Amino acid sequence: MKKTIFVFSVLIVALLVLFQLSKYTYMSGDISIEIIIAIIAITFFFIGAYLKAKTTKKEVDNPNQVDYKKIEELGISKREYEVLVQISKGLSNQEIAEILFVSESTVKTHVSNLLIKLNAKRRTQALQIAKELQILAY
Amino acid sequence: MKKTIFVFSVLIVALLVLFQLSKYTYMSGDISIEIIIAIIAITFFFIGAYLKAKTTKKEVDNPNQVDYKKIEELGISKREYEVLVQISKGLSNQEIAEILFVSESTVKTHVSNLLIKLNAKRRTQALQIAKELQILAY
DNA sequence: AATGGCCTCATACTAAAGTACCAAAAGCAT
DNA sequence: ATGCTTTTGGTACTTTAGTATGAGGCCATT
């Protein structure tokens, strides 16, 4: 909200500056009216594009971002989360073990803890729940 | 591409029209220069916003849609796809069997065929590949 | 120094998942 | 009607996945 007010304030100031500038340059006869209008058009074209990008950015990013607070809330540890990420890549416990340089037993332990914390019965269900909770990026 | 050319053509024409309009109205003295500039600013502000929205829309929609052509290309049947959808919901073979009113054996057959067609070793990998191929919605 | 949380690993299970192979019924297009 | 694909289902088997339990090491906090 504060940002919105700031942006619009800047916009209004810019508009007023352009008014004065246009008057001055037109009076002095240095620059033709066409160029002034062109500059204004281009300027506001990019301002419009920029603001639209800003407002839509959150909608675009939101479903693709990880809610780290929720991970903490669920009591999921760093290592457990790493395992979860590997599961989402479709890897087996053995493959995850090799990537994380631990034994398959360790991976199984992490997976079991994950299933409990995510209240899931299977790893596929864990993935679905994790995505619903925005814990995993797509 | 064709759209882009069309849009920019319209933009240039609009700009030229505004040039002439500004000249005429300024000469006749009906409207002050400030109002002309304001109109141009507002107009191009919205044009910029509109174009930005157009270009980002595809990026937003794209990752959330199903590519049915690709499903056909892979030779995945209706029933097999139904099973794939249930897998993505985190269900077990037994649960899928109950939902689709078939035996667990049938589900296993479908899953095996799916894994071959998606070139996956596990159901979790099948999910990852399916999402990469945009066969599954998020 | 003791406590608690995390990571590690092992053993011994049980439960799913997945493979291979076969086969019959159903739906569909020529 | 005759192929063709899909769907269905079974048996027998192997491989992963997941549970339960215990235990040692590490590290930060108290």
Side-chain angles (χ1 to χ4, degrees), chain B residues 2-63:
Chain B
K2 280 180 182 175
K3 264 189 177 178
T4 311
I5 293 166
F6 175 75
V7 166
F8 272 92
S9 302
V10 170
L11 254 175
I12 290 164
V13 170
L15 203 60
L16 291 172
V17 168
L18 279 166
F19 278 168
Q20 293 312 112
L21 188 70
S22 67
K23 267 184 183 170
Y24 173 76
T25 51
Y26 189 71
M27 294 300 173
S28 64
D30 286 347
I31 312 174
S32 67
I33 188 81
E34 281 92 345
I35 291 175
I36 294 166
I37 290 173
I39 289 168
I40 290 166
I42 290 165
T43 304
F44 277 84
F45 176 84
F46 282 105
I47 289 171
Y50 173 76
L51 285 183
K52 187 69 193 176
K54 272 275 172 185
T55 53
T56 51
K57 201 185 178 188
K58 283 179 186 175
E59 295 170 27
V60 180
D61 289 351
N62 229 10

Side-chain angles (χ1 to χ4, degrees), chain B residues 75 77-80 101-103 105-106 109-110 122:
Chain B
S77 70
K78 279 152 283 171
R79 212 57 168 162
E80 283 164 1
F101 297 105
V102 293
S103 74
S105 297
T106 305
T109 305
H110 289 320
R122 284 161 292 281

Side-chain angles (χ1 to χ4, degrees), chain B residues 62-74:
Chain B
N62 229 10
N64 210 25
Q65 232 151 25
V66 176
D67 189 347
Y68 292 103
K69 292 174 192 170
K70 207 159 278 172
I71 296 174
E72 274 188 54
E73 279 175 30
L74 293 167

Side-chain angles (χ1 to χ4, degrees), chain A residues 77 79 102-103 106 110 122:
Chain A
S77 70
R79 212 56 169 163
V102 292
S103 75
T106 305
H110 289 321
R122 284 163 291 283

